[in-house]
Amino acid sequence: MERVKEIVAEINKGNPKPIYFLMGEEPYYIDKISQYIADNVLTEEEKGFNQMVLYGKDTTLESVVANAKRFPMMAKYQVVIVKEAQHLSRTIENLISYVENPQPTTILVICFKYKKLDKRKKLYKAIQKNGELFESNKLYENQVADWIRRTLSGKGYKISPKSCVLLVEFLGTDLSKISNELDKLALVVPQETEITAEIIEQHIGISKDFNNFELKKAIGERDVKKASRIIDYFAQNPKDNPFVVTITLLNTFFTQLLQYHGLNDHSPGNVAKALGVNPYFVSEFTVAAKNYPMKRVSGIISNLRDLDLKSKGVGANNMAQADLLKELLIQIV
């Protein structure tokens, strides 16, 4: 986030780089930076003659370079944006001659999603010297909740850690997808409002009572009645609650619980750091550890692996999701 802000600040000062090579596994920031350049470097009048968008699937590196070498018409700069540039990966190293001597009146933006340049090659070093090389890394699941909190704070909203986790569980770690849902919330929810589970349920469609987060909590507390109600709801709504998501989350939870048992220091700060979780959720592990001793946790992890294989047809023929869920609950509690 900080690097993105620095890049935007330099553009706003009127100091754009001749080359922006945007690469990495997380497309969200690549899209944000390229769109900012597209929207803000040229005026609307200048864009007609001086802004061009090419697509890696439909162009060649030679064509990209030829367009980048053009001079702007009645403007200080021309902007050439190459989207889906990862499709040019086989020839991308041939960009070296242009990067070593870039056209100063061109701003060339290369969107190289899901791939990275080889740091040992000349091109990588040349872009570092003459342009902006930005690497957009995927956030870990435990980092996405904090990203949601910071993003909403920037829009003038508050959100509880529980509601953040609820969004991550339902939407995954795709920042673009999450951002779209947060934008929708901003359209209907007044600023300064705290985004609660009820608001999420109303406007995004995530059940605040019947979700994997609540199932994990109920299992940790050995609340069999509550866990059974959630399991029944999942069985009746299999498309919205895929088994693979449920078993993955529970496997992560019990793996972290195993780590918890192995810690000498069970203070909230140390547990949060060791397990990579928000301190808000440390109490869940404290409760679960009393209900599931270390030996039992090891057995549950083994059972979850067997069930995962069964869900994929190994050792079981076409088990229905309802049967898998019931067996899951029996194996654990």
Side-chain angles (χ1 to χ4, degrees), residues 34 37 39 84 106 108 127 132 159 182 201 243 287 307 310 320:
S34 62
I37 292 171
D39 291 343
E84 300 175 4
T106 293
L108 176 61
I127 295 171
E132 179 67 51
I159 186 169
L182 298 185
E201 181 175 38
F243 184 76
V287 171
L307 271 174
K310 283 184 179 181

Side-chain angles (χ1 to χ4, degrees), residues 11 16-20 33-43 46-54 64 67-73 75-83 98 103-111:
I11 293 170
K17 299 287 180 70
I19 300 163
Y20 289 87
I33 294 171
S34 62
Q35 191 60 49
Y36 189 85
I37 292 171
D39 291 343
N40 294 280
V41 171
L42 302 177
T43 65
E46 293 171 336
K47 287 177 185 177
F49 290 107
N50 298 290
Q51 188 153 294
M52 177 178 294
V53 177
L54 303 172
V64 171
N67 280 288
K69 287 183 176 179
R70 289 171 51 237
F71 289 95
M73 293 181 63
K76 186 176 180 181
Y77 297 107
Q78 71 151 342
V79 175
V80 178
I81 300 173
V82 186
K83 296 188 176 183
Y98 177 80
Q103 172 67 267
T105 54
T106 293
I107 298 170
L108 176 61
V109 184
I110 307 288
C111 301

Side-chain angles (χ1 to χ4, degrees), residues 19-33:
I19 300 163
Y20 289 87
F21 199 99
L22 315 174
M23 64 180 188
E25 294 297 322
E26 178 50 70
Y28 177 78
Y29 288 115
I30 294 174
D31 289 336
K32 282 292 183 184
I33 294 171

